[in-house]
Amino acid sequence: MMIVGTRIGAAAALVRTLAVAAGGLLVSRARALTPGGELASHRAVYELKLAQSHGNSSTVSARGRILYDFVGSACEGYKLEFRQVSELDNGEGKVTLSDLRSNTWEDGQAKNFHFKSENYMNSRLVDAVEGQAVREPGDIAVTLTKPKETKLSLDRLIVFPTEHVRRIVDAARAGKTILEFPVYDGSEKGEKIYNTLTVIGRTIPANERVPTDAAAGQQALAGLIRWPVTVSYFDRAASAGEQTPVYAITFELYENGISRALLLDYNDFAISGELKSLEIKDVKPCP
């Protein structure tokens, strides 16, 4: 069951970026909370449960929660406090508890990315990552202090988490349906790079498929369109040719960046994430 500490921990790195995206096309109440063109600061809680099992998966039940607290602005940068706790049961008395905690900061120009995370398995710390990535003229310079002091040089075409989701929103607004980018988020001991394939579905108007979760009744979301999005993550270091994604995540993304209706697919089982609570915070406009 080390799958909890690997794929679930890695997928959480994507989940913690889901609500980070440019606003701008907001209704009047939303503008009071989030200045036009700014990111939506908010605190969200998602409840996790097993959605389905595939093939010979030994997972018979799963539950957990994601806590997501995001604040910031283009001039001050964006701070995220994230925690995902997941419990998986194989039905034979084997229960595995994964607890991922992370803090990140990314500047408004996507040039600096700071990250710190700890992953616990059954209350035991199994790995910790801390470092900084800086976009320089020729490459991206990464300095890790944990798990060991290391310096890396990455391809400048790689994007950081906030910038990745910004581009998804921009592509959706432009009517594009496919987007491909390599992404670096500091996960997997700080040395992992994923190739991503994003598929964007048909626009969901505000009056269609009205949510019944914590997004319902939110004045800041009233009148906003959203899109069904699936992002598949592939191991960039794997050999060339046809690959199966390491994991994929499907969600509905509002144009101000807030996400609902999560589905984390780990190939042999999938976990759903229902938005249980949502607090949208005021954002001060940049001077």
Side-chain angles (χ1 to χ4, degrees), residues 35-110:
E38 191 48 270
L39 310 186
S41 291
H42 63 284
R43 184 181 189 275
V45 175
Y46 300 87
E47 185 173 294
L48 308 177
K49 65 180 181 180
L50 183 68
Q52 52 191 278
S53 294
H54 309 295
N56 297 320
S57 173
S58 61
T59 302
V60 298
S61 69
R63 62 175 182 159
R65 283 201 167 191
I66 290 171
L67 172 64
Y68 187 108
D69 198 342
F70 172 79
V71 295
S73 66
C75 48
E76 297 179 353
Y78 305 100
K79 179 183 178 181
L80 174 64
E81 294 185 14
F82 173 93
R83 186 173 183 182
Q84 177 179 341
V85 178
S86 307
E87 182 182 88
L88 271 67
D89 187 346
N90 70 354
E92 299 177 355
K94 177 68 172 180
V95 178
T96 306
L97 182 68
S98 171
D99 184 354
L100 176 67
R101 311 167 188 179
S102 75
N103 290 271
T104 64
W105 179 87
E106 187 172 338
D107 76 334
Q109 291 72 46

Side-chain angles (χ1 to χ4, degrees), residues 152-222:
L152 306 172
S153 178
L154 306 182
D155 188 336
R156 185 172 171 77
L157 296 178
I158 291 170
V159 299
F160 300 142
T162 302
E163 180 66 10
H164 185 208
V165 182
R166 280 182 183 276
R167 297 195 184 203
I168 293 175
V169 173
D170 289 344
R173 286 177 174 160
K176 297 179 180 179
T177 58
I178 299 291
L179 198 64
E180 296 183 79
F181 278 105
V183 173
Y184 178 79
D185 58 19
S187 63
E188 300 287 325
K189 298 184 178 180
E191 299 183 4
K192 195 74 170 181
I193 300 170
Y194 288 100
N195 286 331
T196 65
L197 171 66
T198 301
V199 178
I200 304 168
R202 181 185 68 85
T203 300
I204 304 172
N207 60 348
E208 288 187 11
R209 291 161 52 182
V210 179
T212 57
D213 55 13
Q218 290 280 349
Q219 291 300 310
L221 299 179

Side-chain angles (χ1 to χ4, degrees), residues 116-181:
K116 179 180 180 180
S117 66
E118 295 178 329
N119 192 21
Y120 292 82
M121 291 273 288
N122 296 327
S123 301
R124 181 176 64 86
L125 180 65
V126 293
D127 61 62
V129 179
E130 185 171 355
Q132 175 182 5
V134 179
R135 190 177 302 278
E136 298 184 339
D139 63 359
I140 296 175
V142 177
T143 302
L144 298 174
T145 56
K146 292 181 181 179
K148 61 181 179 180
E149 293 188 0
T150 307
K151 292 186 180 296
L152 306 172
S153 178
L154 306 182
D155 188 336
R156 185 172 171 77
L157 296 178
I158 291 170
V159 299
F160 300 142
T162 302
E163 180 66 10
H164 185 208
V165 182
R166 280 182 183 276
R167 297 195 184 203
I168 293 175
V169 173
D170 289 344
R173 286 177 174 160
K176 297 179 180 179
T177 58
I178 299 291
L179 198 64
E180 296 183 79
F181 278 105

